[in-house]
Amino acid sequence: MKNARKLCVDILNTVFSNEGYSNIILRNELKKNSFNDKDKALITEIVYGTIKYKYTIDKILNSFLKKGIESLEPYVLNILRSAIYQIRYLDKVPTFAAVNEAVEIAKKYSSVSASKLVNGVLRNYIRDSEKTYYNKNNLVESLCFNYSFEKWLVNLFMKQYGGKITEEILSGLNERPVTSVRVNPLKINYDEAYEELERLGYDIEEGYVCPEAIIINKGKNIEDNQLFTEGKITVQDESAMLVAPALGFCEELKIFDLCSAPGGKSTHISELSNDKAQIIAFDIHENKLSLIKENAFRLGINNILCRQMDASTFNEDLKDIADAVLIDVPCSGLGIIKKKPEIKYTKNNKALEDIIQIQRKIMLNSIKYVKPNGTVIYSTCTLNKKENMENINWLIENYPNISIEPIYFGNLPNLIYENGMVTILPNKYMDGFFIAKLKRNW
């Protein structure tokens, strides 16, 4: 079996070389190696924490390396990153243990000289713990360092939301995410599911905003739970759980979900319609349609038809057919950074601009697919206003026969309502998200 901290470095190496998402790589590695629950928890904490605080950690390391972090081989750099994270952010990990493990990993898997460098840098950091790494009189630099976000992203949020809400966003995106599950009323009622989870030893509470939600504070992997395997519950963030209810009454309706995989929102619509709505779930990747089918089968849902289609390319055969269309469009993902922290470093301003053109093509197609007086639900898991309300405003300016149908999910501190649309700020319970409801008036 691999050493736990060695595996952390291996995973970080893979993630920072842009070879995959941290959640997928981590899950696969933990499956391949037989670690106990304590070690799994430590590996998960170190991996996610090091990725989350990479910007801050690199600022620290650069101050102790004459030639900067660029002078280090990636493996040694990731040994240092993971060790600094443990020393700075994990109270339960003894400093000497973090240093000794880092030195040994460097010696065994890199070189003796690398182990000496690692030892020297970490000892210097510990000795100079009061050192200042940024201009404390500069708000942007302070936010960047304290919350570990790059300047372009902090500046984007500052410009769009102002200082107070920007700090709320950064704090929310650094929260440790909880697991929330959606109770499937086709198979079990809410109280029965709640009581069964308690009986199985889970530390749970009622959902933050959604009546179908149960929050899992502590317990074993929920996907290994009998309630999950029997389709009585399914994992979904509460922000995403708000999309299907925004449709309103949906029994007997024909509904298109244009960007459906893995099918969380399609299956939620099915549950809300008592499995009576006619749902066609589309995705650009044919291989991902199997995920929708698997989820529908597990949940006991029979009314979802899956088709492969590029939502950004207009399909004449679908014109004026649907009663409602859901478009959870591809986006920058800035609202789900707490679950995929590498998004902090893999996105940039150009990537954000490029995705907007795809989003607008999907929006225009969706409007053509609904019948007159039909409904379109537009949602994203980003907080970039250009991908959210600015897209909606652009659509209405160019197509005045489209109107916004106001939506309201209650008076909660992280929900911002503006012109009938809702922006969901990230917190412990919810991802950053945006939802708008549109009506075709011709």
Side-chain angles (χ1 to χ4, degrees):
M1 183 180 75
K2 284 188 178 181
N3 172 286
R5 287 182 172 85
K6 164 68 166 60
L7 181 59
C8 291
V9 179
D10 291 344
I11 293 171
L12 292 171
N13 240 29
T14 303
V15 172
F16 289 141
S17 61
N18 297 324
E19 293 181 16
Y21 284 118
S22 55
N23 59 332
I24 297 172
I25 296 166
L26 178 63
R27 183 171 65 244
N28 291 342
E29 287 295 333
L30 291 179
K31 281 183 178 179
K32 287 193 296 185
N33 295 275
S34 302
F35 289 103
N36 60 37
D37 289 344
K38 185 178 179 180
D39 280 342
K40 285 181 180 179
L42 178 64
I43 293 165
T44 301
E45 176 63 49
I46 293 174
V47 168
Y48 279 134
T50 303
I51 299 170
K52 181 191 302 182
Y53 287 102
K54 172 180 172 288
Y55 175 89
T56 301
I57 291 168
D58 285 357
K59 291 281 285 187
I60 292 168
L61 289 174
N62 270 320
S63 73
F64 291 104
L65 293 163
K66 290 181 179 179
K67 296 182 180 179
I69 60 174
E70 291 79 10
S71 64
L72 300 179
E73 63 171 287
Y75 196 80
V76 175
L77 174 56
N78 288 320
I79 293 172
L80 282 167
R81 283 169 170 161
S82 61
I84 291 288
Y85 174 72
Q86 294 170 69
I87 295 166
R88 188 176 183 87
Y89 296 103
L90 295 186
D91 295 336
K92 293 182 180 180
V93 174
T95 295
F96 73 86
V99 174
N100 291 346
E101 285 278 1
V103 170
E104 287 303 311
I105 293 170
K107 185 186 294 184
K108 186 172 182 180
Y109 297 98
S110 183
S111 65
V112 172
S113 61
S115 69
K116 291 179 178 178
L117 181 144
V118 167
N119 186 61
V121 169
L122 295 179
R123 299 290 179 191
N124 286 337
Y125 169 68
I126 294 166
R127 280 195 292 267
D128 202 358
S129 60
E130 300 301 316
K131 186 173 181 177
T132 300
Y133 303 97
Y134 64 98
N135 179 2
K136 292 187 176 182
N137 295 319
N138 184 297
L139 177 59
V140 171
E141 285 193 26
S142 298
L143 292 173
C144 288
F145 187 85
N146 290 325
Y147 293 101
S148 195
F149 283 80
E150 294 186 350
K151 283 186 178 180
W152 76 268
L153 190 47
V154 172
N155 282 326
L156 182 144
F157 288 145
M158 287 282 287
K159 183 178 179 181
Q160 296 184 354
Y161 292 94
K164 182 178 182 296
I165 293 180
T166 291
E167 188 157 11
E168 289 180 31
I169 289 171
L170 301 180
S171 177
L173 292 176
N174 276 351
E175 283 278 5
R176 187 191 306 272
V178 299
T179 297
S180 54
V181 297
R182 190 183 79 223
V183 176
N184 178 8
L186 301 177
K187 290 196 171 186
I188 193 171
N189 69 46
Y190 186 94
D191 290 342
E192 290 171 340
Y194 198 99
E195 291 169 6
E196 182 64 12
L197 285 170
E198 282 190 319
R199 189 186 68 78
L200 293 169
Y202 288 88
D203 177 3
I204 60 176
E205 60 183 287
E206 292 183 6
Y208 177 74
V209 62
C210 300
E212 308 96 325
I214 297 175
I215 296 163
I216 312 291
N217 292 313
K218 196 172 182 182
K220 293 186 177 181
N221 184 358
I222 198 68
E223 293 185 7
D224 296 332
N225 181 286
Q226 187 176 355
L227 269 74
F228 179 87
T229 58
E230 292 178 352
K232 294 175 180 177
I233 59 173
T234 197
V235 177
Q236 190 176 34
D237 186 85
E238 282 201 66
S239 292
M241 284 188 213
L242 292 178
V243 175
L247 278 170
F249 177 81
C250 51
E251 288 191 15
E252 312 296 343
L253 297 185
K254 188 166 191 172
I255 301 169
F256 294 169
D257 184 352
L258 296 190
C259 310
S260 182
K265 297 174 187 67
S266 284
T267 54
H268 195 189
I269 295 169
S270 293
E271 292 167 7
L272 294 177
S273 74
N274 296 311
D275 204 21
K276 292 179 180 178
Q278 183 185 351
I279 300 168
I280 305 180
F282 300 92
D283 200 83
I284 189 172
H285 302 291
E286 188 171 4
N287 62 311
K288 288 187 176 182
L289 296 177
S290 61
L291 297 174
I292 305 171
K293 294 174 184 177
E294 289 169 9
N295 278 325
F297 178 78
R298 179 175 59 83
L299 296 167
I301 289 166
N302 302 302
N303 66 335
I304 297 178
L305 176 65
C306 296
R307 291 185 183 174
Q308 188 273 331
M309 186 180 75
D310 180 352
S312 66
T313 301
F314 181 65
N315 185 339
E316 183 70 32
D317 294 338
L318 302 180
K319 187 177 179 181
D320 300 334
I321 287 179
D323 296 295
V325 175
L326 166 61
I327 47 171
D328 187 53
V329 294
C331 70
S332 59
L334 301 183
I336 57 171
I337 284 174
K338 66 179 178 180
K339 292 176 181 170
K340 296 179 180 178
E342 63 274 15
I343 289 174
K344 289 184 180 184
Y345 316 110
T346 58
K347 302 295 182 182
N348 54 48
N349 272 316
K350 185 180 184 306
L352 269 58
E353 292 295 331
D354 290 344
I355 198 73
I356 289 169
Q357 299 311 313
I358 296 172
Q359 292 165 347
R360 290 184 176 182
K361 288 179 181 178
I362 296 172
M363 292 170 73
L364 290 176
N365 292 339
S366 68
I367 291 295
K368 296 171 186 174
Y369 294 155
V370 290
K371 300 173 183 176
N373 298 311
T375 298
V376 173
I377 301 291
Y378 178 93
S379 66
T380 74
C381 57
T382 189
L383 295 162
N384 176 24
K385 288 189 177 183
K386 290 185 177 181
E387 299 175 67
N388 294 340
M389 61 182 61
E390 288 187 27
N391 264 347
I392 302 298
N393 292 337
W394 168 86
L395 184 68
I396 291 172
E397 285 171 9
N398 287 277
Y399 296 86
N401 287 325
I402 298 167
S403 59
I404 296 173
E405 296 281 290
I407 48 179
Y408 184 73
F409 300 116
N411 184 23
L412 292 168
N414 68 317
L415 303 188
I416 299 175
Y417 297 99
E418 190 171 349
N419 298 327
M421 301 171 276
V422 61
T423 297
I424 303 168
L425 302 183
N427 62 11
K428 177 182 176 181
Y429 302 105
M430 301 181 80
D431 288 334
F433 220 79
F434 174 82
I435 307 173
K437 184 175 183 178
L438 305 170
K439 182 179 179 183
R440 175 186 167 180
N441 296 309
W442 81 94

